[in-house]
Amino acid sequence: PLASSTAYPALYVLAPEQRAPFVLRFAQPPARFSSYQAEVLSAAPAYLGSLHRALTAVGVTTEQRAAGRWRVQGRILNTGAEEAVEVSLVATVYNPLGRVVGMRSVAPEPAVVARGGEAAFDLEIAPVGPVAAYTLQAQGRRLLPASADGPGG
């Protein structure tokens, strides 16, 4: 190969058939290439115990800005029974052919969302082509109770 790199998906856990964006950066990319190939080197069953799955993007607005930038604003709503910590939002934009032309992962303000609470997000993406569609995926974790056998227990 002319170059190789390793990347991790922007989401903690993927459901079957779910897609997740990733970014590969090359400090010195090849000047020319005829094709590229990506392959999954490993996967592991997910531990869902601390994953907070009741987070949803609401009140979303989008705007095409100057210099081709694309802005997304909204709130992450926690509909779960517990507060969510380490909250993030993954935005992916697609061109008319359904190909990824940009992605960004941001933490809302605040990054801890109380039960029934909301946190605002505001992000910009610089896509590498026209934007025809987008997805927003919110994720976070739950604080698990300390075990009586664990530290401090």
Side-chain angles (χ1 to χ4, degrees), residues 55-63 71-78 89 117-123 134 136:
L55 299 168
T56 306
V58 297
V60 176
T61 61
T62 63
E63 173 188 6
R71 185 177 188 185
V72 185
Q73 295 176 293
R75 300 176 315 280
I76 296 176
L77 172 65
N78 179 353
L89 178 84
E118 297 180 349
F121 64 87
D122 185 351
L123 64 91
Y134 68 93
L136 300 175

Side-chain angles (χ1 to χ4, degrees), residues 11 29 37 57 60 74 80 82 84 86 94 104 112 117 121 125 130 139-141 146:
L11 297 171
Q37 178 179 351
V60 176
E82 302 157 307
E86 299 177 26
Y94 303 88
R104 179 124 186 247
V112 174
F121 64 87
I125 298 174
Q139 63 185 355
R141 297 201 179 278

Side-chain angles (χ1 to χ4, degrees), residues 9-146:
L11 297 171
Y12 302 141
V13 174
L14 297 177
E17 304 301 319
Q18 185 179 12
R19 300 188 303 175
F22 62 90
V23 175
L24 287 174
R25 291 190 174 94
F26 295 95
Q28 297 181 345
R32 294 174 35 148
F33 63 94
S34 60
S35 66
Y36 62 89
Q37 178 179 351
E39 61 184 287
V40 175
L41 297 179
S42 67
Y47 171 68
L48 300 178
S50 65
L51 188 65
H52 198 299
R53 300 180 61 88
L55 299 168
T56 306
V58 297
V60 176
T61 61
T62 63
E63 173 188 6
Q64 182 72 47
R65 304 202 69 183
R69 297 184 77 75
W70 203 71
R71 185 177 188 185
V72 185
Q73 295 176 293
R75 300 176 315 280
I76 296 176
L77 172 65
N78 179 353
T79 59
E82 302 157 307
E83 79 174 357
V85 300
E86 299 177 26
V87 175
S88 65
L89 178 84
V90 177
T92 309
V93 292
Y94 303 88
N95 71 10
L97 298 174
R99 295 184 177 135
V100 174
V101 291
M103 66 84 59
R104 179 124 186 247
S105 179
V106 297
E109 187 57 45
V112 174
V113 184
R115 179 181 70 186
E118 297 180 349
F121 64 87
D122 185 351
L123 64 91
E124 282 194 6
I125 298 174
V128 295
V131 175
Y134 68 93
T135 59
L136 300 175
Q137 297 167 298
Q139 63 185 355
R141 297 201 179 278
R142 299 178 300 120
L143 292 177
L144 296 177

